[in-house]
Structure formats: structure tokens, C-alpha cells
Amino acid sequence: MIEVSDIHKSYGQVEVIRGISFNVNPGEVVCIIGPSGSGKSTILRCLNGLETYQQGDIHIDGRRVDPEDRSIKDIRLRVSMVFQRFNLFPHRTALENVMEGPIYVMGIDPHEARERATNYLEKVGLADKLDSYPANLSGGQQQRVAIARALAMQPEAILFDEPTSALDPELVGDVLEVMRQLADEGMTMVVVTHEMGFAREVADRVLFLEGGVIVEQGPAKDVLSNPQEARTQSFLRRVLRPLV
């Protein structure tokens, strides 16, 4: 469904993505891990056309991702994105935040959009928060509203950019549980994350990035339990040490 071929991305003279290639099949969950500054979020933003890339190709369902082409709107309808910082409208309720996309992007009737938004907020466990504003929700609840907003577009895939990194530790579990449920239902997902337990349990494959390249990739349990590359081993020792 997603094909990434030899992508290069630079900011000025600094090349942050240096020839990354990978594929994501329908229904597959791929987790991208690695140290800060390794290019994880940048590659995700390139997938959705939020960043331009200077070399290589990205295709979604056979259509090339080009932020300058009018086809990018259709691609973004197929591939939703959940951000680290929620990006909710502060002056709109949870229900109104989820209704926005279906009404103004997809042109859906407001009554149908309200019903759809209500269903997805119920799905993420927020049936009692429909009329709450973001300021009155916890970080975990706001992130679940953001997931409901992505689902309301009925995408074929969802990109998650470190969806739990801005949350207090006690709020992480509720968000990860929603993501587990989506994976169980067959949603295609690409997840940039520092949650190694989630990656081990839910991901089909893991990509370990550093310095803008894929250092190691493979089945999640293999990469996380028995990494072959010395740099992957070093990274996981540091990340997993607090859990031991």
C-alpha cells in the first residue's frame, strides 16, 4: 500500500534522510524507532506530503506523493495522521473537532458527520466527553479525540507521530489500547514511537533509524529481542534499561 524508494530529504545543507526505502502492506503495522534526530518524524511527514523530498519516490496505492500536485488532497483522505501535540481546535468541543474534517474536507452532511463523530468518539472511550472542550480534557483524552478525528475520515492507513510522547506516563495506556484495537481490526499503521512494549506486542515489523538511514529492520520480535546490529543493541539497552 505504501512504497518508499530511496528517499532523500535535506534542510539547507543538512541531509536528514539519506536513501530510505521500505514498503507497508495493507493491514500491516510498522513501527519506526530510533534516537532523536534520526529522521523518524521527517519520513512520516514525507509520507503525508507535509514535507517535500528532493530525491526518490513515495507511492500510496500506486499514486506518487507530491505536495505540489492536486492529487495530494486525495492521498491525505486515504492516509490520516495523528500528531504528537494533538492539534485540536481549542474553541471547539470534542464532537465538533471530529466533525470538522468530514464536513469541510469531505463535504458530508452535518447530521451524518455528527453521527459518525459520535460513533468514533464512543469507539475511543469518550462517549461522555462529546461536549467537552480540549482545555477540560486530559492529554490522553485529547489524543484519543485526535485519533477519533483521524478515524472519522475513514482512511485506509493512519500515521502516528510519537502519539504518546507528550503524555504523562499514567495516561499512555489508554491511547495505546485504542491503537492496539485498531491494529486488531486490520488498520494499516505506521507508528513513530518510543514505546518498545507496544512495538513488540503490536507491530509486524520494526525499522530502526539513525542518521537518516535504516540501520536494521525486520519482524518486531526479532529486532527488539535479538537485534543484529551493534547500534541497535546499544540503543535498546539504553531504552529498555528503566524497564528491567
Side-chain angles (χ1 to χ4, degrees):
M1 179 181 178
I2 299 173
E3 299 176 274
V4 179
S5 304
D6 193 31
I7 290 299
H8 292 254
K9 164 68 180 176
S10 298
Y11 294 106
Q13 299 299 312
V14 180
E15 191 174 27
V16 294
I17 301 293
R18 302 187 291 123
I20 284 181
S21 300
F22 65 93
N23 295 332
V24 181
N25 296 316
E28 191 174 26
V29 178
V30 174
C31 282
I32 303 177
I33 65 172
S36 298
S38 58
K40 306 184 301 297
S41 293
T42 300
I43 195 67
L44 211 64
R45 292 172 66 84
C46 287
L47 290 179
N48 209 31
L50 296 174
E51 297 278 1
T52 58
Y53 49 94
Q54 286 82 32
Q55 182 180 324
D57 286 295
I58 298 174
H59 289 87
I60 308 287
D61 277 343
R63 304 181 72 171
R64 188 174 188 272
V65 176
D66 180 355
E68 304 302 321
D69 193 276
R70 64 178 59 185
S71 65
I72 194 64
K73 178 180 177 180
D74 183 57
I75 289 172
R76 287 178 180 151
L77 288 174
R78 294 168 179 259
V79 182
S80 291
M81 190 157 177
V82 175
F83 298 89
Q84 178 180 352
R85 292 287 178 179
F86 325 136
N87 290 359
L88 301 178
F89 293 113
H91 62 292
R92 298 202 180 278
T93 65
L95 183 65
E96 290 167 342
N97 265 282
V98 179
M99 290 173 61
E100 285 276 314
I103 291 175
Y104 295 108
V105 178
M106 303 179 75
I108 288 176
D109 176 78
H111 178 76
E112 181 183 345
R114 174 178 289 271
E115 183 177 352
R116 182 186 294 191
T118 299
N119 290 337
Y120 282 117
L121 284 166
E122 290 175 352
K123 182 181 180 70
V124 300
L126 294 175
D128 61 336
K129 300 294 183 182
L130 303 184
D131 297 321
S132 297
Y133 288 90
N136 301 122
L137 298 172
S138 71
Q141 289 169 335
Q142 290 185 60
Q143 191 60 290
R144 282 186 281 156
V145 173
I147 294 173
R149 178 181 58 188
L151 290 170
M153 304 301 287
Q154 297 186 337
E156 297 175 18
I158 302 180
L159 313 176
F160 292 87
D161 188 8
E162 299 191 34
T164 61
S165 64
L167 303 180
D168 292 335
E170 63 197 38
L171 303 176
V172 168
D174 290 339
V175 173
L176 293 181
E177 184 55 39
V178 171
M179 294 170 66
R180 285 189 184 93
Q181 181 183 346
L182 294 177
D184 289 342
E185 293 171 357
M187 175 63 72
T188 307
M189 298 160 60
V190 182
V191 185
V192 170
T193 185
H194 292 294
E195 300 291 339
M196 297 300 114
F198 173 84
R200 183 184 286 110
E201 294 171 23
V202 178
D204 297 293
R205 284 188 295 123
V206 164
L207 313 181
F208 173 66
L209 267 63
E210 184 175 55
V213 300
I214 297 176
V215 175
E216 185 168 353
Q217 64 176 307
K221 289 181 174 60
D222 291 349
V223 172
L224 296 174
S225 299
N226 188 30
Q228 300 302 301
E229 299 294 330
R231 182 62 188 97
T232 315
Q233 294 168 7
S234 172
F235 173 79
L236 290 174
R237 278 197 300 270
R238 290 174 178 269
V239 171
L240 296 175
R241 184 176 297 163
L243 302 179
V244 176

